[in-house]
Each structure stands twice: as C-alpha cells, then as structure tokens.
Amino acid sequence: MNAAAGMAAIEGAGAAVGTAEVSGRHYRTGEPVAVCIENGTIVSVRPLTDAPAGADGRELPWIGPGLVDLQINGCAGFDFNTIPMADGTAQRITEALFREGVTAYYPTVITNSDEAIAEGMRTIAAACDTDPACRAAIAGIHLEGPFISPEDGARGAHSKAYVKAPDWELFQRWQESAGGRIRIVTLSPEWPEAPAFIERCVAHGVRVSIGHTAATSEQVKAAVRAGATMSTHLGNGAHRLLPRHPNYIWDQLAEDGLASCLIADGFHLPDAFLKVALRVKGERAILVSDAVSFSGMPPGMYNSHIGGQVVLTPEGKLYMAGEPRLLAGSAQLLPRGIANIARKGLASLAAAWEMASVHPSERMGLPSARGLVPGAPADLVRFRWDGQRVRIVETYKSGVKVYDSVTGEGK
C-alpha cells in the first residue's frame, strides 16, 4: 500500500482502520513499550514485557512522535518555488518526507511576483484537495516573504525586485488562492505597516514569524506586542556584520514570546550559537530543515533557479559554485539536525527529537503536540540511533504505515 492509498483508507467510510500495535524503545526513557492504536489514535502506551532482545530490548528500534517541519522549500529534486511546479511536486515531496520520519509539514513559498505566489498557492491547495497523503501531511502553508527587508544580507537569496511592505488585501488574495491554508507568514517588522498587519494575521489564526529582517530593537518588541510568536531560521538570513549590541539576533533571543526556529544541519550555524540558543529558548527551540530541492540528491553540481550553479558535497553541504563560504540553502532534513545536536552533546536525543516534533506542534496548535500519549494522533516514527546518525525504520501517519525501510512500502 502506498502513502496515498493508506491515507485514503483513513478517509473511507467511518474512517475505521482498525487496531494496531507498534513496539519500540520509548524515545524518552529507552524502555521497551507497545503503542496501541485504534482508528488513527493512540489508546495506550504499555510496557513491553516480551521484548525480543531480552529485558532491555536493546535490539528494538526507538519509537517517537512524528517529525513536524515548519519550513520546506523542496526536496528529492522537486521544488515548491519553481513556477509552474512540476506535476506531482507535492505528492513526491510528501512521500520523500515520510521516508525521513516527517508526518506533518508546511510547504514554504518564498518571495516572488504576486501571480507566481498565487500560482504556487493554488497548486499546493489542489494537491491537498486531490491527494489523501498531501491532505493528511500538509498542515498548512508557510509564506516566507515578500514582506521582508530589502537590505542586502538580511534579504538573503530572496529577489529584491519583489520585496514590498505588508499588504493585507494582497495577502487575502493569496490566502484565497491557498484555500485558507496559509498558516505561517515570515516578515520583517521594520515596515511601518507591520504591527497592524501582524494583528490582523493573529486575528485570523495565522502565526507570524520574524525573519529576513533589519529591524531595530523597538520594532522587534512592537512585533511581539502585536502577536509575532516565532523567529524564522534565527542566525541566518542576516547581515554578515552586525553591531555587537543591540542587534536583531540578540533582541529575538531575549524575547520570551518568540520561539526560535534553527537550522541545525551543521553548516548553517556554529555549535556555540546553537548551544546558546537552546539554553535560552528551552522548549521554545524548534528545529527546521529549510530544505531545498537538492536535499536527497547525489553529490554534484546543479543549476538553481535562485542562485545559478550550486555544489552539493558528499558531506551534505550546499554552496554557491566558486564560493564555498556562501551557502545555497539546506540540503538536509530533520533527522540530520536531530543527530547533529545529539551527537555533539548540545541536547539529549529525546530533547533534540522533541525540538523537531512536539515543540513545532505546540507552537502551531497541532494535536500531535501531545506526543507519545493516549489520545494523541498515531503519528509515529520507529528509528535507529547509533550515536552518530538517525536512521528511519518506519513512519506511521494516523496509524497507517506510510514508510517501511525494509519492504520499501511508501516509496
């Protein structure tokens, strides 16, 4: 059964998909447990007394809640920002993310022309309307821009030609194209229009994240007062040189109302910054991939529609051809970030896993925020951890197995 067929079963008459039991070592305690599922929901998590490898079940895979990625530009050669999108883009990305343990995600549409953004929204909405796997996995759309800083450095790779001030009527047109699915907007609060725009977003159930900004301390504070609750890939999409203090990175770290989204692939942020951010933010630290279409592709040179020629190294670093110091986006998904943090001792495996599952779910108000407990959706991942890498064994969405590394189910 492929992912779409499995999710169609959930949507069938009565949504009754029966019962199942999935076993593994609990990602927090390491104890062998059996997660009992009925009709897509966890009904119990009980000790597993007959673990196949003896009392400690060390040969069992770990089991944890499904991963949630708030920022996905593309992967596996498919891109949400190449307009028009290739046929099956959302479906192929969804299947690729199931293979990486991601059970919910937010396709990210970046700064572009008004019509290109609208077309991207319509295409993603159509995939959700027609494909059961996309409908189940796509929790909303992330609009990253065009209401960002026009300044070089802070703007990142976004095209300056399309950067503009927040415009509620324009946003509403995009929201209509998306079928109401835009759930996150990344903007810079340096625009005078930003506070009023943020308030309207919040009133309509849209989370606002600060990113690609050159905002002053007071502008950051005003955004938080208006209802901004996150920072987009904090520490990236910034000027190369900043004042020691104040600056907009310190300001966002200091704001208790802001969760910090972090790209922890080992290339975007130094360990020292990650260590500080994780200690300051605690349960408000969120891992994102910010992956682009080259994620999951073989090493080599590629042509990017944004930056021209880029190089993907065997180690997984993606940079501009001829300038290795300039990153061309992330080519790694959430398991890489989890492993990087846990391997370097910046956080425990359990804490790192929750940064990529429970924490983003909490910030977005998803039912999966409950984690691995009765009453939560049966969005589960079985995985192996050897102290260096996270390897996904199986992924379950609403109790349906959508990926199996052994049989290839869900590929």
Side-chain angles (χ1 to χ4, degrees):
M1 180 184 295
N2 63 27
M7 301 321 300
I10 293 177
E11 298 178 349
V17 295
T19 62
E21 186 173 282
V22 183
S23 61
R25 298 170 64 193
H26 195 289
Y27 77 104
R28 279 184 171 175
T29 66
E31 296 299 317
V33 296
V35 179
C36 302
I37 303 165
E38 289 185 6
N39 300 329
T41 301
I42 298 173
V43 294
S44 68
V45 180
R46 63 172 180 81
L48 186 64
T49 56
D50 54 349
D56 59 9
R58 288 181 180 174
E59 294 305 312
L60 282 173
W62 297 84
I63 187 167
L67 303 179
V68 178
D69 201 335
L70 303 185
Q71 195 168 5
I72 283 280
N73 305 284
C75 69
F78 289 85
D79 186 8
F80 285 122
N81 290 285
T82 297
I83 305 298
M85 289 184 208
D87 290 343
T89 290
Q91 291 86 343
R92 293 292 296 275
I93 290 175
T94 298
E95 291 170 0
L97 292 177
F98 283 157
R99 296 197 293 271
E100 297 289 332
V102 176
T103 54
Y105 74 101
Y106 292 75
T108 302
V109 176
I110 71 168
T111 301
N112 208 329
S113 70
D114 295 356
E115 179 50 39
I117 290 175
E119 176 62 21
M121 297 297 175
R122 285 192 291 267
T123 304
I124 296 169
C128 292
D129 288 339
T130 58
D131 184 83
C134 290
R135 185 160 51 248
I138 294 177
I141 299 173
H142 182 166
L143 175 62
E144 184 186 359
F147 312 134
I148 58 174
S149 177
E151 293 190 16
D152 292 346
R155 194 180 66 257
H158 292 238
S159 173
K160 186 175 183 178
Y162 301 120
V163 170
K164 63 190 68 180
D167 183 328
W168 180 252
E169 291 186 4
L170 178 60
F171 174 75
Q172 285 292 84
R173 293 201 293 272
W174 289 332
Q175 186 69 288
E176 183 177 354
S177 297
R181 291 181 175 85
I182 302 175
R183 293 285 183 268
I184 306 172
V185 174
T186 289
L187 57 72
S188 172
E190 68 198 73
W191 298 96
E193 299 88 345
F197 182 86
I198 294 170
E199 289 176 354
R200 298 188 81 167
C201 284
V202 172
H204 287 77
V206 178
R207 268 66 170 183
V208 176
S209 188
I210 298 173
H212 290 286
T213 186
T216 65
S217 299
E218 182 50 44
Q219 287 168 336
V220 170
K221 290 180 183 296
V224 174
R225 288 195 299 267
T229 56
M230 292 192 294
S231 297
T232 295
H233 51 50
L234 188 65
N236 296 116
H239 295 88
R240 282 181 172 270
L241 296 175
L242 288 172
R244 282 183 307 167
H245 41 69
N247 65 58
Y248 50 76
I249 294 178
W250 282 114
D251 293 335
Q252 291 177 79
L253 280 172
E255 283 289 346
D256 292 337
L258 294 177
S260 290
C261 297
L262 304 163
I263 305 173
D265 61 358
F267 305 115
H268 276 74
L269 295 170
D271 293 349
F273 182 88
L274 283 171
K275 183 176 183 179
V276 170
L278 298 184
R279 288 194 177 186
V280 169
K281 291 299 181 180
E283 293 187 354
R284 289 164 290 131
I286 294 172
L287 299 189
V288 296
S289 71
D290 198 17
V292 299
S293 61
F294 306 112
S295 176
M297 302 291 284
M301 185 174 289
Y302 295 93
N303 285 316
S304 168
H305 71 286
I306 296 177
Q309 284 196 323
V310 298
V311 176
L312 178 60
T313 70
E315 297 76 26
K317 179 180 179 180
L318 184 68
Y319 65 85
M320 302 297 298
E323 183 46 88
R325 295 177 300 173
L326 293 180
L327 297 178
S330 172
Q332 304 300 321
L333 294 165
L334 288 178
R336 172 68 170 257
I338 294 169
N340 185 50
I341 284 177
R343 181 178 66 251
K344 293 176 177 176
L346 299 174
S348 67
L349 174 65
W353 193 272
E354 293 194 341
M355 291 175 202
S357 58
V358 173
H359 294 183
S361 294
E362 288 174 341
R363 189 57 42 165
M364 296 306 299
L366 301 180
S368 52
R370 301 184 64 183
L372 210 62
V373 299
D379 293 355
L380 309 171
V381 180
R382 299 177 80 217
F383 64 96
R384 295 197 181 278
W385 166 245
D386 61 5
Q388 296 294 316
R389 292 182 57 192
V390 170
R391 294 178 173 84
I392 306 302
V393 176
E394 293 174 343
T395 304
Y396 292 79
K397 178 66 182 178
S398 299
V400 172
K401 186 189 293 185
V402 290
Y403 174 66
D404 187 318
S405 64
V406 175
T407 66
E409 183 176 334
K411 289 187 177 181

